[in-house]
Amino acid sequence: MKNIILGVCGSIAAYKSATLVRLLVKAGANVRVVMSADATSFITPLTLATLSKNPVGIEYFKADTGEWNNHVELGLWADAMIIAPATANTLAKMANGLCDNLLTAVYLSAKCPVYFAPAMDLDMWLHPATRQNVIRLQAFGNIMIPPGNGELASGLHGEGRMAEPEEIVAFVDAESKKKLVLAGKKILVTAGPTYEAIDPVRFIGNHSSGKMGFAIADELASMGADVTLVTGPTAQTSKQKTIKRIDVTSAAQMLEACLAVYPGVNAAIMSAAVADYTPAEVAEQKIKKQDEELSIQLKKTTDILKTLGQQKAAGQILVGFALETNDEELNAISKLQKKNLDFIVLNSLNDAGAGFKGDTNKITIIDSALHKTMFDLKSKEAVARDICDKVTQLLNG
């Protein structure tokens, strides 16, 4: 979720909203805070505006400037609304459709999932009116973040304290993933080049930047998948914080990492540019410049894609890539069939804008039935969506 409205009500627990804003922003969300007037007695709007890097909404309009806080626009903008702390008073208003302040007006305008984290004393929480309001809100489709059990502001001990900010973020993240098309799916992605050592300072490598693989991993994670990214040496970073990253250097290390992960995944997308050959012997010391010529004996690396294809279980999806310079389709189909792939992503260095290092790519997807889908030149992020859509179709039947 990128756009989140945080509603803050008048409760002693409002002080926790500062931490909540920071955690949401850290997770990559764009946060807009809307406060009730009473909430400003517990925490200042300036604090939340500074942490969220957005102005805080309190009133419908500012009397001195006439500036209007458009509650309908806010409700349409948000991917999720979190009301934390949610007081008994605000819960009652929400349950009965009252909107005498900006916060409740935004709630009634929201088209997104709405989460509420109750915060009140034990007797208020247990009162039949509050219980009925909560039941009614849940019947509307709103999602309650259960209150905790512990010491309350009154000195009583029991249920009613607002969930901790870390618990709220984890709860919302888990709930939102349930609605995503790849929720519960585990996917392995490889990216980048491999470096095959010649001596302690030199290696054989290639020009892969890792951009395509990282874009695929980010797209899969945004669709709810549990992604493990095995990457060779690259300066790329993931946008999605949930991705588990395993850094490797050589083809042998990448093979070992993939074999450890592969049995437990639903799909593997092998976009790394793995070396086909590696030095037969690695010099222990730096090779000194002596003769006019230097010969290095090479040996084949283990074919990772073929190895996984041989181990592929029923229902697993395996995707390979083919970067070709001649006889593109013929070579790609041969690789598709020999390595037991579900589909292969072909790109040609003869196509302008395709290949390594750049921010664009032009691909053709060929599946196991030899159905061919050609795509125009696109950004690598857009290409990643096309590839992930194909994987999703196969995983979901």
Side-chain angles (χ1 to χ4, degrees):
M1 292 180 295
K2 294 182 178 179
N3 298 327
I4 294 180
I5 294 172
L6 175 61
V8 181
C9 304
S11 162
I12 187 62
Y15 78 90
K16 295 181 181 180
S17 59
T19 302
L20 181 52
V21 170
R22 291 197 66 176
L23 291 173
L24 291 169
V25 171
K26 188 177 180 180
N30 184 17
V31 182
R32 299 287 299 271
V33 179
V34 179
M35 304 177 71
S36 69
D38 285 345
T40 62
S41 299
F42 294 92
I43 186 169
T44 67
L46 178 60
T47 298
L48 299 179
T50 302
L51 293 172
S52 67
K53 299 179 177 62
N54 281 310
V56 171
I58 303 170
E59 305 292 345
Y60 284 110
F61 65 93
K62 296 179 181 178
D64 53 343
T65 64
E67 184 181 349
W68 180 38
N69 285 314
N70 190 329
H71 57 282
V72 175
E73 187 177 278
L74 272 172
L76 293 172
W77 168 85
D79 297 312
M81 183 175 186
I82 305 170
I83 302 174
T87 61
N89 184 50
T90 295
L91 292 179
K93 291 179 181 180
M94 293 165 60
N96 292 282
L98 302 179
C99 56
D100 60 351
N101 60 23
L102 180 63
L103 195 160
T104 49
V106 171
Y107 160 70
L108 287 178
S109 302
K111 302 295 184 185
C112 59
V114 177
Y115 301 83
F116 62 96
M120 63 198 74
D121 216 279
L122 176 62
D123 293 333
M124 297 174 71
W125 175 243
L126 294 177
H127 195 282
T130 304
R131 311 308 294 167
Q132 284 300 118
N133 288 334
V134 167
I135 291 170
R136 193 172 191 189
L137 286 171
Q138 290 175 313
F140 292 160
N142 300 301
I143 305 163
M144 183 177 73
I145 303 171
N149 195 308
E151 187 177 355
L152 304 170
S154 65
L156 295 175
H157 193 282
E159 198 172 55
R161 61 186 296 166
M162 188 180 91
E164 295 303 317
E166 294 82 1
E167 295 170 338
I168 292 173
V169 172
F171 184 96
V172 173
D173 182 58
E175 284 294 316
S176 61
K177 281 186 175 180
K178 289 179 183 178
K179 301 176 178 65
L180 297 175
V181 291
L182 290 179
K185 303 296 185 184
K186 296 182 178 181
I187 301 181
L188 166 66
V189 179
T190 63
T194 62
Y195 289 172
E196 308 304 316
I198 298 172
D199 62 23
V201 297
R202 300 181 180 93
F203 61 85
I204 298 171
N206 57 63
H207 296 297
S208 174
S209 65
K211 289 181 179 179
M212 192 71 255
F214 274 71
I216 290 169
D218 280 330
E219 182 66 18
L220 290 169
S222 73
M223 298 168 77
D226 180 359
V227 179
T228 298
L229 174 64
V230 178
T231 178
T234 176
Q236 300 300 312
T237 57
S238 299
K239 297 177 182 177
Q240 298 291 332
K241 305 302 182 185
T242 59
I243 293 172
K244 179 185 178 183
R245 175 171 171 167
I246 301 173
D247 288 285
V248 299
T249 301
S250 67
Q253 291 171 347
M254 184 167 284
L255 172 64
E256 182 181 3
C258 289
L259 288 176
V261 174
Y262 186 61
V265 302
N266 301 101
I269 304 176
M270 312 299 288
S271 69
V274 183
D276 294 321
Y277 292 90
T278 189
E281 293 185 6
V282 179
E284 294 183 1
Q285 303 294 330
K286 179 183 175 183
I287 300 172
K288 297 297 184 182
K289 182 168 61 177
Q290 294 177 347
D291 301 328
E292 291 297 320
E293 295 181 356
L294 174 66
S295 296
I296 300 173
Q297 187 72 27
L298 301 178
K299 63 180 181 180
K300 271 189 175 183
T301 58
T302 301
D303 190 323
I304 299 175
L305 193 57
K306 185 177 180 180
T307 300
L308 298 188
Q310 292 170 341
Q311 297 183 12
K312 187 171 70 168
Q316 272 188 318
I317 304 301
L318 183 60
V319 179
F321 281 67
L323 177 61
E324 303 292 342
T325 59
N326 62 284
D327 298 326
E328 290 95 335
E329 286 191 22
L330 188 64
N331 288 329
I333 290 171
S334 175
K335 187 174 183 179
L336 168 77
Q337 295 175 332
K338 287 181 179 179
K339 302 189 180 183
N340 193 24
L341 308 181
D342 292 277
F343 70 87
I344 193 162
V345 180
L346 167 64
N347 48 79
S348 170
L349 284 180
N350 295 318
D351 292 327
F356 291 146
K357 289 191 174 180
D359 294 323
T360 58
N361 207 351
K362 184 178 180 181
I363 67 166
T364 298
I365 290 178
I366 305 173
D367 66 21
S368 57
L370 302 188
H371 295 141
K372 182 173 66 175
T373 307
M374 301 177 69
F375 297 87
D376 295 330
L377 183 70
K378 299 181 180 183
S379 70
K380 285 187 173 176
E381 288 77 11
V383 171
R385 283 192 287 276
D386 292 330
I387 294 169
C388 295
D389 284 345
K390 180 69 173 179
V391 171
T392 301
Q393 290 171 15
L394 293 175
L395 285 175
N396 294 336

